Amino acid sequence: MAVHHHQYDVVIVGAGGAGMRAALESSSRVRTAVLTKLYPTRSHTGAAQGGMCAALANVEEDNWEWHTFDTVKGGDYLVDQDAAEVMCKEAIDAVIDLEKMGLPFNRTPEGKIDQRRFGGHTRNHGEAAVRRSCFAADRTGHMILQTLYQNCVKQGVEFFNEFYVLDLIMDGERAAGAVAYELATGDIHVFGAKAVVLATGGFGKVFKTTSNAHTLTGDGMGIVWRKGLPLEDMEFFQFHPTGLAGLGILLSEAARGEGGILRNGSGERFMERYAPTIKDLAPRDIVARSMANEVREGRGAGPEKDYVLLDLTHLPREQIDAKLPDITEFARTYLGVEPYTEPVPVYPTAHYAMGGVPTNIQAEVLRDNVHVVPGLYAAGEVACVSVHGSNRLGTNSLLDINVFGRRAGIAAAEYASRVEAPVVPTGSEETVVGMVEQLLSANGGERVHSIRRALQETMDRNAQVYRTEESLKQAEEDIAQLKARYANIAITDKGKRFNSDLLEAIELGFLLELAEVLVISARARNESRGGHFREDYPNRDDVNFMRHTMAYRGEDGSIRLDYKPVVQTRYQPMERKY
């Protein structure tokens, strides 16, 4: 197996929104490489639809303090408020930066960036819904990804496309680079670096019904986990209310922002019962549970009464065509439903990880509650700076990747400018070489797709919108059995070029480990908060659980849980009424 060596000041792992935003900052200061297992414009940022929020006040009165309050309250008070303040303050410049880069936002008649309503975003600390989401039809993530990529090309950023990073290099406690497997050749590449930025996205493929692409397998989180570094708040996973029923393909919250209404099988606008003030625009955790509850109590729609309906039929066709062209086409293509005249069947779908690699507001990765890992940074869904707490508000993800992607790129470049290059230990590639060779030589009786399907089914059944001690225990037992089966897999393709069998086997290893962390963290949190709802502990418990979960991996593979306090600055926990 050929091994190649490279040296850069900064290596960025991942070329979605966070990775490319970091690259624009870093590459203008120091020599930077971007490693990505996908071609950059295939990254999952492109699937984000509805918008990127900022208190521009272009359409109605707004300010960043209201945005901060909504973020904290929406996250059920598990949000680190210093981080939320940073994000909401810097949101306005983040949007203007993208506009100056050429992003084609929708416009008001006066030529300003247009804005629309989104769930959980209010004026005057919860008084009524506010127009805060800046958008490009329902293709905002796609437009951000294309705009950032074009600017990276313009700036001469060095991309290593289809290089799958499988290990971090450490020089003592300091990050010293990354090891990547080149999909086109099967070669190993060792990238020495003064600083490493992780921007690898989430791990939604632990679930069967998910809006996430096949590639979102938690690679960055898995690499960090295997290095003995912690993961934070992994029990909090968001289930987006409006996935196409039975498929999970996302229909943007923008549909409700434009006036779409959720109805049960009787045609009732049921969100009026659950969130009487802002109804269908309540935060996603509340809407998802409300939908699931309608179905559980027999008020669902369809032959099996197993979904609810998103009704756009009262909206003008020209509004649908101008503001929601993609998602209405999804309904036609995948369900054969005409949104002009028929309501669309929808049900919650696994969408976003609020937890991840713990960082501070400078995007520095933490090795515990206090100390950073010198030279290691993370941004985007892979990271947990905790701006999302236990439930992310819609449009805050595109904001997060731009604000903290930018901060990560600047911080990594400044760190690289003032330190000497670390020592890249001899044999840094051996862990990856050993893993690849072991998998390629595996000849057991188990198949990767069979184990992956079983994992996703137990997670959907036992750790989705509603959870109990019994269901989580069952999931934990199932995962333990699946890990044992994984040790006996077989790889049929022994080739080197674009070996998808090998790729999926590696990804499955990460998914199994991250699912176990999620379930064990969830079993230990005996309360309901945000995206984590325990039917056996249905109330929020601020006395015992106003704290972040920190999971650590033992040398024997066991999981130890610790906790750290939530950063509170201005807002004390209160009841979430909408």
Side-chain angles (χ1 to χ4, degrees):
M1 192 175 293
V3 179
H4 310 269
H5 293 267
H6 312 261
Q7 187 67 44
Y8 286 85
D9 294 315
V10 173
V11 164
I12 296 169
V13 185
M20 288 200 287
R21 190 67 188 85
L24 285 174
E25 299 298 333
S26 177
S27 64
S28 67
R29 295 167 169 85
V30 295
R31 190 161 180 254
T32 301
V34 180
L35 318 182
T36 169
K37 76 172 179 179
L38 295 171
Y39 192 78
T41 51
R42 289 187 59 219
S43 299
H44 202 60
T45 299
Q49 297 166 352
M52 172 177 166
C53 54
L56 299 182
N58 282 354
V59 180
E60 56 187 329
E61 185 184 3
D62 199 7
N63 66 64
W64 70 265
E65 292 180 351
W66 296 349
H67 185 185
T68 302
F69 172 78
D70 290 337
T71 298
V72 172
K73 181 181 176 184
D76 220 348
Y77 295 92
L78 203 74
V79 171
D80 284 333
Q81 295 181 25
D82 58 341
E85 289 170 6
V86 164
M87 184 178 74
C88 298
K89 276 183 183 177
E90 296 184 6
I92 297 166
D93 285 341
V95 169
I96 300 303
D97 285 347
L98 288 169
E99 182 186 37
K100 290 178 178 177
M101 290 181 203
L103 197 149
F105 285 109
N106 277 50
R107 299 283 171 174
T108 67
E110 298 76 34
K112 295 180 178 181
I113 295 172
D114 200 2
Q115 296 183 272
R116 62 182 166 202
R117 295 186 177 101
F118 242 77
H121 292 279
T122 68
R123 68 169 182 264
N124 199 22
H125 304 96
E127 187 177 278
V130 71
R131 292 177 171 86
R132 186 177 289 149
S133 171
C134 310
F135 62 97
D138 56 357
R139 308 183 183 108
T140 314
H142 174 79
M143 295 300 187
I144 288 174
L145 197 65
Q146 298 290 334
T147 300
L148 291 175
Y149 183 58
Q150 289 163 9
N151 280 272
C152 283
V153 170
K154 175 183 175 182
Q155 196 163 292
V157 172
E158 293 187 63
F159 286 94
F160 290 81
N161 298 328
E162 296 177 327
F163 277 59
Y164 187 12
V165 172
L166 295 175
D167 197 17
L168 282 174
I169 302 170
M170 303 296 289
D171 177 14
E173 293 189 346
R174 176 184 172 189
V179 183
Y181 174 85
E182 185 180 0
L183 302 185
T185 63
D187 290 355
I188 301 296
H189 293 258
V190 177
F191 288 83
K194 298 177 181 178
V196 177
V197 179
L198 297 174
T200 53
F203 66 110
K205 291 306 287 186
V206 294
F207 294 96
K208 180 182 178 182
T209 305
T210 178
S211 66
N212 285 195
H214 195 65
T215 53
L216 282 182
T217 51
D219 311 324
M221 297 179 196
I223 291 165
V224 162
W225 181 244
R226 291 176 182 179
K227 281 296 179 186
L229 296 171
L231 294 173
E232 179 178 352
D233 286 345
M234 292 292 281
E235 65 267 41
F236 295 109
F237 209 95
Q238 181 170 90
F239 301 92
H240 195 293
T242 51
L244 287 178
L247 298 173
I249 295 169
L250 189 66
L251 292 191
S252 173
E253 196 168 307
R256 286 173 282 136
E258 293 294 338
I261 295 171
L262 290 168
R263 301 189 186 278
N264 60 23
S266 303
E268 177 197 6
R269 185 180 189 178
F270 59 87
M271 283 308 300
E272 291 182 335
R273 286 189 275 111
Y274 297 97
T277 302
I278 54 178
K279 304 178 180 66
D280 303 272
L281 289 175
R284 288 175 176 173
D285 62 321
I286 294 173
V287 180
R289 281 195 299 277
S290 303
M291 292 169 64
N293 194 56
E294 291 296 298
V295 168
R296 290 201 313 174
E297 295 185 356
R299 294 188 292 274
E304 305 295 327
K305 295 187 180 297
D306 57 353
Y307 55 77
V308 299
L309 299 167
L310 177 63
D311 184 7
L312 305 175
T313 59
H314 56 288
L315 299 179
R317 292 191 177 191
E318 58 271 19
Q319 181 183 356
I320 293 174
D321 291 342
K323 303 290 183 68
L324 306 168
D326 276 8
I327 66 169
T328 49
E329 192 58 37
F330 292 162
R332 296 181 187 110
T333 301
Y334 297 111
L335 292 183
V337 170
E338 175 47 69
Y340 291 153
T341 57
E342 302 172 84
V344 182
V346 291
Y347 195 74
T349 180
H351 182 58
Y352 189 90
M354 273 76 73
V357 179
T359 72
N360 59 24
I361 59 174
Q362 303 307 328
E364 297 172 300
V365 171
L366 300 169
R367 67 169 58 257
D368 52 36
N369 293 358
V370 178
H371 302 97
V372 303
V373 181
L376 186 59
Y377 303 82
E381 192 175 355
V382 70
C384 183
V385 62
S386 210
V387 284
H388 307 307
S390 60
N391 173 65
R392 176 177 67 76
L393 291 190
T395 70
N396 268 356
S397 60
L398 292 180
L399 177 58
D400 175 11
I401 61 175
N402 279 281
V403 169
F404 289 101
R406 174 180 177 274
R407 281 179 158 250
I410 293 171
E414 289 179 347
Y415 174 83
S417 297
R418 65 176 186 265
V419 300
E420 295 296 321
V423 175
V424 177
T426 304
S428 294
E429 72 281 0
E430 289 176 1
T431 299
V432 173
V433 170
M435 176 172 62
V436 170
E437 289 181 343
Q438 180 184 355
L439 287 170
L440 286 175
S441 63
N443 259 326
E446 296 286 354
R447 293 292 179 265
V448 167
H449 68 86
S450 175
I451 298 173
R452 185 178 62 235
R453 182 173 62 246
L455 170 67
Q456 293 171 338
E457 286 175 350
T458 191
M459 292 298 286
D460 263 23
R461 187 168 54 249
N462 296 309
Q464 213 204 36
V465 176
Y466 288 106
R467 301 166 174 177
T468 64
E469 169 68 19
E470 184 180 1
S471 74
L472 292 168
K473 184 179 180 183
Q474 182 63 57
E476 187 178 339
E477 291 172 355
D478 290 345
I479 292 166
Q481 293 173 7
L482 293 172
K483 289 178 75 174
R485 289 174 59 188
Y486 179 72
N488 192 37
I489 60 170
I491 303 289
T492 20
D493 185 353
K494 307 296 183 182
K496 289 187 174 182
R497 294 177 58 82
F498 294 107
N499 188 336
S500 58
D501 273 1
L502 173 65
L503 180 66
E504 291 184 0
I506 293 170
E507 291 172 332
L508 177 59
F510 289 134
L511 288 174
L512 286 165
E513 292 183 354
L514 297 176
E516 185 177 36
V517 180
L518 185 158
V519 168
I520 288 175
S521 299
R523 276 191 74 185
R525 185 171 283 273
N526 295 332
E527 67 156 355
S528 292
R529 186 186 297 268
H532 169 73
F533 192 87
R534 288 281 298 266
E535 290 189 276
D536 43 355
Y537 296 95
N539 298 316
R540 193 179 77 196
D541 181 356
D542 291 336
V543 174
N544 296 303
F545 290 102
M546 178 56 78
R547 57 186 187 176
H548 298 293
T549 304
M550 302 289 285
Y552 293 83
R553 183 178 190 261
E555 291 184 9
D556 61 351
S558 62
I559 296 174
R560 174 178 65 86
L561 298 184
D562 197 0
Y563 296 90
K564 72 174 182 181
V566 176
V567 178
Q568 297 182 47
T569 58
R570 309 169 70 188
Y571 303 111
Q572 295 302 310
M574 57 187 288
E575 186 180 355
R576 281 169 94 213
K577 288 186 177 180
Y578 287 96

